[in-house]
Amino acid sequence: MPTSPITEAVPLSLCAREPHVPADRLVAEMVPPPRFDSVRFETYVPDPNQPSQTEAVKVLGDFAAGLGTAHPAGGGKRRWFARKAAAAPAGPRGVYLDGGYGVGKTHLLASLWHATPADPSLKAFGTFVELTNLVGALGFQQTVRTLSGHRLLCIDEFELDDPGDTVLVSTLLGRLVDAGVALAATSNTLPGKLGEGRFAAADFLREIQGLSAHFRPLRIDGEDYRHRGLPEAPPPYSDEQVTKAAYATKDASLDDFPNLLEHLAKVHPSRYGAMTDGLRAVCLTDVRPVPDQSTALRLVVLADRLYDREVPVLASGLPFDKLFSDEMLNGGYRKKYFRAISRLTALARDAKALVAQ
């Protein structure tokens, strides 16, 4: 009996995608990303050698429980009836998670979002970059009106390297605090700065000057869990291996890395998430050092979106820790670059199975 020929999948291409994302989708998608959709405080595994991790779970659990009271400022017409409810607990209405890469801050921030007793439409979760993109899409005043009725706003990866954006978001947070919105944020301490007490927390609180009284800094010590007991990231594969895997994997994309970097300049970073919709793997050939800072910052955003969506990245060329020059890694955006290296390394490790199939 004749057998049917094996049909290979035709890879998709990120370079062929220029999605349009309406502003209302930006608001609706302000929830924990797929990678953190099912996380809870109970699924966080503290390092037994780092008591601050266990303490963080307890503090955040209590903070979430405290948000079950009435919206302090009334919260607009949706909570007008609750004005005589019990007063909100005294003390800071915000927490800032201060720690290095991979200690589980995003896991804890998403767990806080899930644990807060409020309808999902009254809670918002997004990265600092996504929040600035929202302001760009809606305008400042409309963003204030949209978020003022929320019970909680979680901001992951609060950035301190762009003074303009930091002042913009700080002003926005001041308006939201006045409206009674509780805040939670994370940022990163560089690996070389660990052990210097509240270095990152001091930076954060200085940048948001008037809001410092609303935040309780919460230090989370530990090493990057992505390297805790795990093998080193696999070395890059050959062009032939990457191409073969792309054709053998359903809903995989295949792009030449330099071409992808050029394409990213044509798509606003707020649309990078939509650009990855439906992808099960990203395959890249000819990975090489990123040529300039603007390109590097766009790549950081794409790496974040791929990591959020747990999309494996299979690549040929140079390993991901060679993407950024020493000058970049020692410059003002170094935190973003170290984060991108850490996340792309984790996704490269996830991609090993694509070659084995």
Side-chain angles (χ1 to χ4, degrees):
M1 177 182 295
T3 58
S4 300
I6 297 176
T7 303
E8 292 182 316
V10 177
L12 305 169
S13 172
L14 288 171
C15 291
R17 295 183 165 196
E18 295 187 38
H20 169 70
V21 182
D24 57 356
R25 173 174 169 176
L26 295 178
V27 177
E29 290 186 344
M30 291 193 72
V31 298
R35 177 178 284 269
F36 298 99
D37 184 54
S38 61
V39 301
R40 299 294 186 273
F41 290 131
E42 293 79 10
T43 63
Y44 181 77
V45 183
D47 185 335
N49 297 316
Q50 303 293 346
S52 63
Q53 295 185 9
T54 301
E55 175 65 12
V57 173
K58 180 181 185 304
V59 170
L60 292 172
D62 291 343
F63 183 75
L67 297 180
T69 58
H71 193 282
K77 62 182 180 181
R78 283 180 294 183
R79 294 182 197 78
W80 190 259
F81 64 89
R83 296 175 68 184
K84 296 184 179 180
R93 289 280 297 176
V95 289
Y96 163 68
L97 308 186
D98 170 30
Y101 298 91
V103 297
K105 299 188 304 299
T106 303
H107 183 135
L108 291 171
L109 190 68
S111 297
L112 172 63
W113 187 93
H114 289 298
T116 296
D119 188 86
S121 65
L122 302 182
K123 302 181 287 187
F125 184 107
T127 65
F128 181 90
V129 172
E130 288 171 321
L131 189 58
T132 59
N133 288 339
L134 183 67
V135 176
L138 300 182
F140 183 83
Q141 296 299 336
Q142 183 58 42
T143 302
V144 171
R145 288 191 290 269
T146 299
L147 298 179
S148 287
H150 281 56
R151 187 70 55 84
L152 172 69
L153 171 62
C154 296
I155 308 169
D156 200 20
E157 306 292 356
F158 199 105
E159 305 288 4
L160 301 175
D161 44 34
D162 188 312
D165 283 347
T166 301
V167 171
L168 171 69
V169 173
S170 299
T171 304
L172 172 64
L173 297 187
R175 296 284 295 275
L176 296 181
V177 167
D178 290 343
V181 181
L183 307 174
T186 74
S187 190
N188 282 326
T189 300
L190 284 173
K193 298 296 184 181
L194 291 174
E196 294 188 11
R198 298 193 179 280
F199 175 86
D203 281 355
F204 178 82
L205 296 178
R206 182 176 63 249
E207 292 293 339
I208 61 171
Q209 302 170 7
L211 292 177
S212 60
H214 299 287
F215 281 89
R216 170 181 175 174
L218 190 60
R219 176 73 188 185
I220 304 174
D221 300 297
E223 63 175 316
D224 191 331
Y225 77 90
R226 290 181 285 269
H227 305 302
R228 201 187 300 166
L230 295 175
E232 293 296 321
Y237 295 93
S238 68
D239 287 351
E240 292 75 17
Q241 288 174 303
V242 172
T243 301
K244 180 180 178 181
Y247 275 89
T249 304
K250 181 177 171 48
D251 296 327
S253 66
L254 176 62
D255 292 279
D256 180 68
F257 187 68
N259 290 342
L260 176 60
L261 295 184
E262 291 183 9
H263 180 66
L264 292 180
K266 304 174 184 177
V267 181
H268 191 274
S270 66
R271 295 184 279 164
Y272 287 3
M275 195 166 70
T276 67
D277 283 351
L279 288 183
R280 294 187 181 180
V282 166
C283 298
L284 302 172
T285 57
D286 194 23
V287 171
R288 59 180 67 177
V290 178
D292 58 73
Q293 195 106 267
S294 296
T295 303
L297 292 173
R298 288 191 288 266
L299 180 60
V300 168
V301 177
L302 178 63
D304 286 342
R305 300 292 81 77
L306 292 173
Y307 182 78
D308 288 344
R309 290 159 174 76
E310 301 183 287
V311 180
V313 178
L314 189 71
S316 68
L318 290 179
F320 288 129
D321 60 0
K322 304 297 184 184
L323 281 173
F324 308 110
S325 67
D326 290 340
E327 181 180 2
M328 291 179 182
L329 293 178
N330 291 317
Y333 295 108
R334 59 193 181 277
K335 292 184 179 182
K336 293 184 177 182
Y337 299 146
F338 277 111
R339 183 177 80 234
I341 290 171
S342 177
R343 291 184 166 183
L344 287 171
T345 295
L347 296 177
R349 188 179 293 124
D350 293 343
K352 290 179 66 176
L354 301 179
V355 177
Q357 63 185 1

